[in-house]
Amino acid sequence: MWRKHWVVIVAVGVVLTVLLTIRPWTGQAGLDAQEIVPIGQRQAAVTYKADVQIDMNKHVVKGMLTARFVPQDDQAFFHLYPNAFSANAALSGENWEVVLGKQREPGGIKISEVRVNGKSVGVQYAGKTKTLLQVPLPARTSSAETVVEMNFQLEVPYNNGRMSYHDHAMWLGNWLPILAVKDAGGWRLDPYSAIGDPFYSDVANYHLRVQLSEGYQLATSGLESVAVITETRPQRLKIYEVDAWNVRDFALVVMDETYQPISGKVGETIVRTWVQKSDDPQNVERIHETARESLDYYGKQFGVYPYKEYDVVKTGGFFGGMEYPSLVFIAQEYFERSDGMGEAVVAHETAHQWFYGLVGNDEVREAWLDEGLTDYATMVFLQQKSLARSQAYIQMRLGQARAAEGYANQGVTAKSSVEAFPDWRSYNDLVYGRAGAMWWNLKEEWGVERLHQVLRQYVRDHQYKQANGEQITALLTATAGADASPYLDYWLRVELEKAEAASNWVEKGKHE
Ligand SMILES: [Zn+2]
């Protein structure tokens, strides 16, 4: 079943390649007319296939991973993020306390039997606490696809983070070994950090076969609604086969039967909010409605959401919300409050489906890019939904933005790399607040339609790829017909001497 399935996928891939090469639909009503290429019509450069068994009693995940890709180098690196939480990681300081929480147990991932094109190459870890796997590849003269296989055993840490569990669920973010990105600056092998979302990855196709005990259910970055689910007797196992095409990562949450989904639809996309039966129905409904409405709104503003599912799952965690492709984690507390923050968190994570998901960027060096656009989108969504209810959130962000000058005097700005931020507060104020306020200000000056036209083009230009600050500056420059750098420098780097040049640029852009 599994192998056959694999052959079918390859065959579909071949047919798609041929179709994409010939482009029989090119023409007025064809691909060129579509802003976002449908996921089924796009070849991903990397394919991951994993076969995993999840033990919910021991909190252990065993598995085998295969990655197929055309090498860019004579080696490849896989991030092993779980090893950031290994027993010898010695995580200390206030910022790690936030991530780890009061109760904590270490975890980690062990790799064995690494094979390249079928040949064993040994296990070579790198990074301070083995947070990287280094894999030598055949000489790069050949552009042929390379297959890297490995076995792994993941012991899920217990803490306040993105990969943990409680009595009713286990949420796995950044758990699978994932290829590091090599960009113009070389290999990006940044370690996990307490602050920010220290991730950077390329879009890939994933095929997962997940084995669970009976009595558990799954939400993932893939399509559970069409997953093949097999139940075995007498072992009482449930096996899911899940595909996710053209996604930047693959996260999943295993839930017991106290969880149930509330379903809705936005166009062809199924939106599910996974909560426990004991949760407050009004809060749940508000969050679910916000997920649906924001997905719909952003799709209309920034380009259609190309995936067929969107899951919002209640988890534990310090993070408020955490974005993964087609799946977001929302911390429990936001289902317990009715002050509008739950809606804001969901609207924020949903916006990340465009800024992070569809258009990726280096979240270590340029967190302002996805977070700023995401939080701007959040504010504009909340405002058009309810002027009154959005005020507190928008004023909070604009207030944070005003603190930027103080931070700049200490050498920290929205453009700083994650390791430069002394604490979560400064990261919040600058990367969300200041960068979001920069876009908000431009919306106030140019109007929402003009700004969103620019952002739609940004998404269209970089869909399924990476973007960077230079590229969005170039787009703004082209839009206004004048160099946009003074505007970005004024807002992001707080170069106050550029205030006049910045406002001249804004004026010029209004009339272009
Ligand atoms: Zn965010």
Side-chain angles (χ1 to χ4, degrees):
M1 187 62 193
W2 179 230
R3 296 223 167 265
K4 199 167 155 199
H5 185 63
W6 181 241
V7 169
V8 170
I9 295 287
V10 171
V12 169
V14 169
V15 170
L16 283 174
T17 311
V18 171
L19 283 173
L20 283 168
T21 314
I22 305 170
R23 293 161 71 97
W25 53 77
T26 301
Q28 235 179 349
L31 189 66
D32 293 344
Q34 291 172 338
E35 296 206 327
I36 306 299
V37 178
I39 52 168
Q41 290 180 16
R42 188 182 179 277
Q43 274 288 95
V46 183
T47 301
Y48 295 98
K49 180 187 157 196
D51 193 342
V52 304
Q53 296 105 45
I54 301 181
D55 183 331
M56 288 296 284
N57 294 316
K58 294 187 180 139
H59 306 109
V60 167
V61 183
K62 281 186 203 170
M64 203 194 102
L65 176 75
T66 304
R68 291 168 182 265
F69 56 97
V70 175
Q72 297 174 286
D73 202 348
D74 56 5
Q75 59 182 341
F77 291 90
F78 288 81
H79 286 284
L80 305 175
Y81 291 119
N83 286 341
F85 301 98
S86 68
N88 59 353
L91 306 173
S92 62
E94 268 174 52
N95 299 326
W96 278 111
E97 290 301 312
V98 174
V99 179
L100 296 173
K102 285 200 174 65
Q103 306 274 333
R104 71 201 57 173
E105 290 289 338
I109 188 165
K110 282 199 187 78
I111 305 294
S112 58
E113 292 176 51
V114 180
R115 293 173 295 281
V116 176
N117 297 333
K119 275 212 300 226
S120 180
V121 295
V123 179
Q124 205 178 324
Y125 292 106
K128 222 167 82 188
T129 57
K130 301 183 176 173
T131 49
L132 290 163
L133 179 73
Q134 190 170 4
V135 181
L137 300 177
R140 58 186 297 206
T141 43
S142 77
S143 61
E145 200 176 55
T146 293
V147 181
V148 175
E149 295 164 280
M150 67 188 79
N151 294 349
F152 65 86
Q153 175 155 338
L154 165 66
E155 289 187 20
V156 180
Y158 181 79
N159 56 40
N160 227 356
R162 302 171 180 91
M163 177 178 17
S164 187
Y165 53 87
H166 57 40
D167 287 346
H168 301 286
M170 184 158 83
W171 50 99
L172 301 181
N174 314 96
W175 61 292
L176 265 183
I178 191 170
L179 281 162
V181 172
K182 188 185 181 196
D183 66 15
W187 283 106
R188 299 306 192 184
L189 307 175
D190 304 282
Y192 209 95
S193 58
I195 292 177
D197 300 328
F199 313 117
Y200 186 19
S201 58
D202 286 324
V203 157
N205 284 350
Y206 286 82
H207 310 288
L208 263 80
R209 186 172 186 271
V210 181
Q211 185 182 300
L212 293 167
S213 300
E214 233 178 36
Y216 288 99
Q217 46 193 339
L218 207 53
T220 76
S221 291
L223 300 178
E224 300 86 63
S225 60
V226 294
V228 177
I229 304 174
T230 317
E231 302 201 356
T232 66
R233 301 274 163 184
Q235 303 94 324
R236 296 187 174 276
L237 295 172
K238 211 166 159 183
I239 300 163
Y240 282 73
E241 295 197 34
V242 189
D243 287 342
W245 286 14
N246 286 298
V247 291
R248 205 165 286 285
D249 197 351
F250 191 98
L252 67 82
V253 186
V254 184
M255 298 159 286
D256 71 10
E257 285 166 343
T258 62
Y259 270 83
Q260 61 187 9
I262 296 169
S263 291
K265 264 195 143 184
V266 173
E268 293 297 296
T269 300
I270 300 169
V271 179
R272 276 178 309 200
T273 303
W274 295 84
V275 290
Q276 284 177 285
K277 291 158 192 165
S278 52
D279 289 318
D280 178 80
Q282 272 187 322
N283 287 348
V284 168
E285 183 49 40
R286 258 205 299 270
I287 284 181
H288 180 62
E289 186 189 275
T290 305
R292 266 193 305 114
E293 287 179 357
S294 60
L295 197 76
D296 185 44
Y297 176 77
Y298 302 140
K300 287 175 177 143
Q301 299 299 314
F302 308 129
V304 69
Y305 177 78
Y307 306 101
K308 295 289 172 268
E309 284 184 24
Y310 180 53
D311 289 304
V312 175
V313 189
K314 186 186 74 164
T315 63
F318 77 97
F319 39 69
M322 182 61 205
E323 70 277 13
Y324 292 101
S326 299
L327 169 68
V328 299
F329 300 170
I330 305 293
Q332 165 98 33
E333 64 166 298
Y334 292 95
F335 288 85
E336 290 163 2
R337 47 202 281 185
S338 48
D339 60 356
M341 278 309 282
E343 288 138 276
V345 169
V346 172
H348 177 102
E349 303 314 332
T350 305
H352 270 304
Q353 298 301 313
W354 281 261
F355 309 114
Y356 152 73
L358 204 44
V359 180
N361 58 275
D362 182 339
E363 297 168 77
V364 174
R365 284 164 199 78
E366 295 194 310
W368 66 271
L369 192 49
D370 64 296
E371 291 297 354
L373 288 168
T374 290
D375 216 72
Y376 160 71
T378 306
M379 291 191 279
V380 75
F381 163 75
L382 292 173
Q383 191 184 51
Q384 60 80 45
K385 181 173 157 69
S386 164
L387 198 57
R389 249 179 110 73
S390 62
Q391 278 315 300
Y393 188 82
I394 294 168
Q395 291 314 318
M396 172 191 79
R397 287 303 192 212
L398 300 182
Q400 289 174 332
R402 286 192 285 273
E405 205 181 324
Y407 291 114
N409 294 334
Q410 300 160 40
V412 188
T413 72
K415 282 203 121 177
S416 298
S417 202
V418 286
E419 70 277 1
F421 292 90
D423 49 28
W424 270 102
R425 183 169 177 181
S426 55
Y427 184 83
N428 256 322
D429 288 354
L430 297 171
V431 172
Y432 298 67
R434 185 71 177 184
M438 173 180 79
W439 296 111
W440 184 261
N441 179 68
L442 200 53
K443 181 213 68 161
E444 300 283 84
E445 297 284 351
W446 284 7
V448 73
E449 282 186 17
R450 180 154 169 73
L451 178 60
H452 289 194
Q453 205 179 349
V454 176
L455 297 181
R456 198 152 51 239
Q457 191 179 339
Y458 171 73
V459 173
R460 190 172 52 212
D461 290 350
H462 304 287
Q463 54 181 295
Y464 305 108
K465 295 184 291 192
Q466 310 288 354
N468 59 43
E470 226 171 274
Q471 289 166 324
I472 204 163
T473 308
L475 174 60
L476 289 168
T477 296
T479 303
D483 182 13
S485 323
Y487 184 74
L488 280 97
D489 290 343
Y490 170 79
W491 277 94
L492 300 174
R493 293 188 197 274
V494 200
E495 292 180 1
L496 300 179
E497 69 279 10
K498 294 187 179 167
E500 201 187 323
S503 72
N504 290 343
W505 176 81
V506 169
E507 279 307 311
K508 179 131 198 338
K510 269 184 201 169
H511 311 297
E512 193 55 33

